[in-house]
Amino acid sequence: MGLPDHHLTDGETLVSSFHPHWKRLVVPVVAFVLIVVAAAAAIWFLPSDFSYAFQARIAVAVIAVLLLIVWSVVPYLQWRTTSYLLTSHRFTISSGLLSKSTDEIPMSKVNTVSSDQTLVERLFGSGTLVVESAGERGQLALRDIPRIQEVRSQLFRLVEDAPDETPD
């Protein structure tokens, strides 16, 4: 998932790369299990002497596949195609499968780095990272960041070490 070397500028090094926290996948996994169990039960318990039993089984399977796509596959793909890259010069947020959206915040433009965690997020080690930059977007809140305290301290250290880009 890392950034290819040809995307790094001179002197830039990759510090960390990660996806949103895995807890985003809990609901899609539970939905997957429930849909598969419900579809299997519906197909199994459908009376075989029912005149449209074959068509009913096909309909149950088609509905189950559609529900799986909407409630399990799409959230998984959203999680999988969202990545955060932290380099010595920038913080990159990338998402999207068919169309890609990328935001890059130069370390020299970051004003404030803060984090918020609920009790459950503290138990999981995740949280919301808030990055305030001098750019057009201002404040950017990134939910479900894994190892939030580690990422926050890395980002803060990189911001402190970033050279100012003001002309002499």
Side-chain angles (χ1 to χ4, degrees), residues 18 20 24 82 84 91 93 95 103 105 112-117 121 127-133 137-145 148 155:
F18 49 94
R24 274 197 189 173
T82 300
Y84 305 107
F91 183 45
I93 303 107
S95 63
D103 289 323
I105 304 171
T112 307
V113 177
S114 61
S115 62
D116 294 317
Q117 289 179 294
E121 288 174 330
T128 300
L129 184 70
V130 180
V131 180
E132 186 176 328
S133 70
R137 297 201 49 177
Q139 203 174 57
L140 188 60
L142 306 167
R143 292 182 43 242
D144 297 328
I145 301 294
I148 186 75
L155 187 55

Side-chain angles (χ1 to χ4, degrees), residues 3-155:
L3 190 65
D5 288 338
H6 66 275
H7 285 126
L8 296 174
T9 61
D10 291 335
E12 184 176 24
T13 57
L14 181 64
V15 175
S16 181
S17 65
F18 49 94
H19 292 291
H21 197 272
W22 60 264
K23 74 180 176 99
R24 274 197 189 173
L25 297 176
V26 170
V27 171
V29 167
V30 169
F32 179 86
V33 170
L34 291 176
I35 292 167
V36 168
V37 168
I43 290 171
W44 179 263
F45 290 114
L46 199 66
S48 57
D49 60 349
F50 178 55
S51 60
Y52 295 106
F54 178 73
Q55 291 87 345
R57 286 185 175 100
I58 295 296
V60 167
V62 167
I63 291 170
V65 167
L66 291 174
L67 291 174
L68 285 173
I69 289 170
V70 171
W71 288 345
S72 294
V73 174
V74 169
Y76 170 75
L77 290 176
Q78 288 173 335
W79 174 83
R80 185 74 179 130
T81 59
T82 300
S83 63
Y84 305 107
L85 299 168
L86 192 56
T87 71
S88 56
H89 293 110
R90 57 191 158 149
F91 183 45
T92 304
I93 303 107
S94 178
S95 63
L97 180 64
L98 299 177
S99 62
K100 198 80 163 164
S101 172
T102 303
D103 289 323
E104 291 187 349
I105 304 171
M107 289 300 163
S108 61
K109 300 290 185 196
V110 174
N111 294 335
T112 307
V113 177
S114 61
S115 62
D116 294 317
Q117 289 179 294
T118 64
L119 177 61
V120 173
E121 288 174 330
R122 287 185 70 191
L123 294 173
F124 282 113
S126 68
T128 300
L129 184 70
V130 180
V131 180
E132 186 176 328
S133 70
E136 295 174 5
R137 297 201 49 177
Q139 203 174 57
L140 188 60
L142 306 167
R143 292 182 43 242
D144 297 328
I145 301 294
R147 302 177 325 274
I148 186 75
Q149 296 306 329
E150 179 184 327
V151 171
R152 183 179 159 273
S153 63
Q154 284 177 336
L155 187 55

